[in-house]
Structures are given as structure tokens and as C-alpha cells.
Amino acid sequence: MSGVLDLVREDLRGFAGYASARSAKIEGEVWLNANESAWANPGDAAATCRRYPEPQPQALRERLAQLYGCTSGQLLIGRGSDEAIDLLVRALCVPGRDAVLYTPPVFGMYAVSARLQNAATLEVPLRDEEAGLVPDIEAIIATARQGNARLVFLCSPSNPGGLGIPLAQVEQVATALRGQALVVVDEAYAEFADEPSAVSLLPRHDNIAVLRTLSKAHALAAARIGCVIADAALIAVLRRCQAPYPIPSPCSALAMDGLDEAALARTRERVALVRAERERLRAALAELPGVRRVYASDANFLLVRFVDAETAFQRLLAAGVVVRDQRAAAQLHDALRITLGTPEQNARVLGVLATLEPAA
């Protein structure tokens, strides 16, 4: 038995899940086992949607495994990273007993999933240092130990902080919490960063899981394709806890088209452009009189503190530019998060913000 299975809820370790009509490996010509329609919907010109999809589309699973450097058995496809987060919390945390640790300001779904599972939440705030918003590794380890954390979420690059976490620090946390907690590295923005993926740590640490998504760099947010990469034994448990048909066939087909060699080459070009624009916009914003600070970023956005964030937000909105208001987040009372757009869109942002007044 894999050691990581000791982290799974005791009542779910032998859970069989739901056996759908498509889960059995049966071949045939006339399919009458799933109560599907014998005819396609009139609006379904391709006639692809009357049958239930593969629970885990094998071609897509293999393609994603190739992309992320793992085996297909180590990867579970879901509806974006959100479903993976929810599955992990439900499968590992006993309600009222186990805790979930995260590092605010950070992506809000970790806390939401914990609350829905009645799992305690442990917060270890990022430290605001000269380099940017960075995790307090020693505090994460100490708090996880003291608070009975079963899951530790490390967002790398962090949203909205922007910085990636060095693999040595991820490994430090995983080593310290072996046997107690699963360390989940959320790499939604990894394509925009230099740091290698934490997938490379899996051979040495079965208590690490990695989240990836096609929503950001691959521009498939509406397709809702994400995955969790982990020890194969844990992946099998998560699959048994997942709904029967998580990936619609049209979304799977779109993802396959978006991951062919030509599409990947175009994506790499666009990532390079975003990275160049990130540095250009960061330098230009830092020179504006109404800007207090622009944080370093390894992602496709910049976190910016303003002298008057409300005025900045409203002027951008009046110009048709929508950015993310972060002022309700921990430590970010004066901050907005600005996604990198096209060069023309970024120039529009700069033009609006250049009209802001300096501090009195």
C-alpha cells in the first residue's frame, strides 16, 4: 500500500464509487446500456453529444501526461483546478477533524472548499518583503504540525502575489510533513514562470500533488479542463470520488486540438509575448505618480498598489478596462490586479493610469 493512502479519509480508502455505463470495458455496435437517445439532438450537427463521454478521455489524458512530464496513471482530468481542489479536500479531510492550510492573500477556492467540507482553515500570511509577497516556510511547517493540517496549498506562482515558490522550499515542506499532510502545489500560472514544475519532485515525495490547468496560458478557460497530478494510488481514489462524466466530449476535442504541435508552438509564442509585456508594463507602471508599488511577477498579471486605488479602478472602468479589485483581500487594501493583455490593451491601461494624481 502506498504511504500516501494513509492520508486519505479512512472511510474512503476502500470506497468503490459509482460504476457508470461507460466505466466497463465493453465493445459493441449497438449501445443500449445507458438509456441514451437513439438519435442525435437536432442542434448537434456533428452528432457527438448523444452518448455519454469517456469518464477520463484516454487520448487527452496521455497528451496531458506528456505535456506535464508524468504518467497517465498519475493524472486525473477534472473541471478546471476548482474540481481538483474540491476532490482533494473531500477525499482527505474528515469533517470537523482535519485542517486545510493556505497562505493569504491567495486564490479563494482553498478556503471555500474547506468550509464546504467543514474542515478547519489555517492561514499563514505571505510576508511582504522587498522581493515581493513570499511564503513563510518555517511558519507553514509549524502551523501545519500544530493545527493538524491534512492539506497544505502552495500557490506557485501565487495569485494575486505573483511569485513562484522555489522547488527546494516545496520539498522542505513535503519532507517536514511526510505522513501528516499532502502538499498541493497549484501551478495554474506555471507556463509564465522560470521555476521547474513540482511534478519533478513526485518520485521522491508521494505526499506532493500538483494542479495544472488549460485555462490560462492555453486560452481554454471556457472548456474547463484542469488536472491533478499525484501518486497513482491517490489518483485512483480521487477518480472514485469524482462524478461519473466530468469532461464533456466537445471540451475534450477542443483541448486535443489546442494541444497539437502547431497550437503549442503558437502558445509558446504568446507566453513569450506576455512575459515581455509583463516587464515593460511593470517598469512603466512603477514610474507613474499615482502608483505606490508594482510587485514582481512570475505569472500573467501584475499586483499594483495605488495612492488612490478607488480612483484608479473607476477610471479604468470608465475607459472600458476591467481589472480585479483586491482591496478586500488580506494585506491588499490599496491594490488592484492587472492581467497582461495585448500590447495595445496594456498601452490603454498605461494611458488611463498616467492621469492619476501623485500622493499629496
Side-chain angles (χ1 to χ4, degrees), residues 310-323 348 352:
E310 174 64 18
T311 296
F313 184 79
Q314 293 300 333
R315 287 194 184 176
L316 286 167
L317 200 57
V321 178
V322 183
V323 299
R348 190 171 177 180
V352 173

Side-chain angles (χ1 to χ4, degrees), residues 27-355:
E27 297 296 329
E29 296 179 3
V30 180
W31 290 83
L32 303 177
N33 67 331
N35 301 334
E36 301 152 323
S37 172
W39 303 273
N41 181 280
D44 181 13
T48 59
C49 291
R50 72 183 179 95
R51 298 292 186 197
Y52 287 108
E54 290 183 78
Q56 289 288 294
Q58 190 57 32
L60 178 57
R61 201 178 186 193
E62 291 173 358
R63 187 64 172 139
L64 289 170
Q66 179 185 35
L67 183 67
Y68 297 137
C70 63
T71 67
S72 60
Q74 293 176 299
L75 184 146
L76 182 76
I77 309 171
R79 288 161 285 207
S81 297
D82 295 342
E83 184 180 26
I85 293 166
D86 182 62
L87 281 172
L88 286 165
V89 175
R90 285 194 287 122
L92 273 68
C93 293
V94 174
R97 186 192 77 182
D98 298 320
V100 172
L101 185 150
Y102 51 90
T103 57
V106 76
F107 184 46
M109 283 305 297
Y110 313 139
V112 168
S113 294
R115 182 173 180 182
L116 290 172
Q117 183 66 2
N118 191 26
T121 55
L122 305 171
E123 297 187 355
V124 180
L126 297 175
R127 296 186 312 211
D128 197 343
E129 299 184 351
E130 183 177 352
L133 290 166
V134 299
D136 187 336
I137 299 300
E138 295 297 336
I140 288 170
I141 293 170
T143 303
R145 284 174 170 165
Q146 295 165 8
N148 197 36
R150 185 66 87 181
L151 284 169
V152 173
F153 283 98
L154 301 178
C155 193
S156 178
S158 179
N159 172 23
L163 287 185
I165 302 173
L167 286 191
Q169 294 185 358
V170 174
E171 191 162 23
Q172 181 183 351
V173 176
T175 300
L177 300 179
R178 185 186 305 278
Q180 179 194 329
L182 183 73
V183 178
V184 185
V185 187
D186 188 343
E187 295 184 346
Y189 302 92
E191 290 87 352
F192 302 99
D194 293 326
E195 189 71 25
S197 172
V199 170
S200 63
L201 300 178
L202 264 58
R204 301 195 299 277
H205 300 277
D206 69 355
N207 66 324
I208 288 178
V210 178
L211 305 180
R212 298 298 297 255
T213 179
L214 300 185
S215 294
K216 311 300 182 182
H218 294 278
L220 291 174
R224 308 306 301 133
I225 301 288
C227 64
V228 54
I229 302 165
D231 184 277
L234 177 58
I235 292 298
V237 171
L238 296 176
R239 175 66 195 111
R240 295 195 294 269
C241 295
Q242 190 179 34
Y245 306 109
I247 310 301
S249 296
C251 296
S252 178
L254 180 59
M256 286 297 293
D257 290 343
L259 295 175
D260 69 20
E261 290 305 322
L264 287 176
R266 189 70 181 274
T267 294
R268 286 191 289 269
E269 292 174 359
R270 290 172 173 171
V271 167
L273 176 60
V274 167
R275 287 168 59 107
E277 283 293 289
R278 182 177 68 199
E279 298 313 307
R280 183 181 75 85
L281 194 65
R282 181 187 175 200
L285 285 169
E287 296 297 320
L288 297 182
V291 171
R292 283 201 174 111
R293 182 177 181 183
V294 185
Y295 284 84
S297 176
D298 297 316
N300 68 334
F301 56 81
L302 292 169
L303 182 67
V304 187
R305 292 191 186 274
F306 291 89
V307 173
D308 184 348
E310 174 64 18
T311 296
F313 184 79
Q314 293 300 333
R315 287 194 184 176
L316 286 167
L317 200 57
V321 178
V322 183
V323 299
R324 187 61 178 260
D325 189 347
Q326 296 288 170
R327 288 175 290 168
Q331 306 184 59
L332 302 181
H333 65 281
D334 58 355
L336 306 177
R337 190 193 68 193
I338 304 173
T339 304
L340 277 303
T342 66
E344 295 75 19
Q345 290 168 341
N346 298 334
R348 190 171 177 180
V349 169
L350 287 173
V352 173
L353 296 181
T355 67

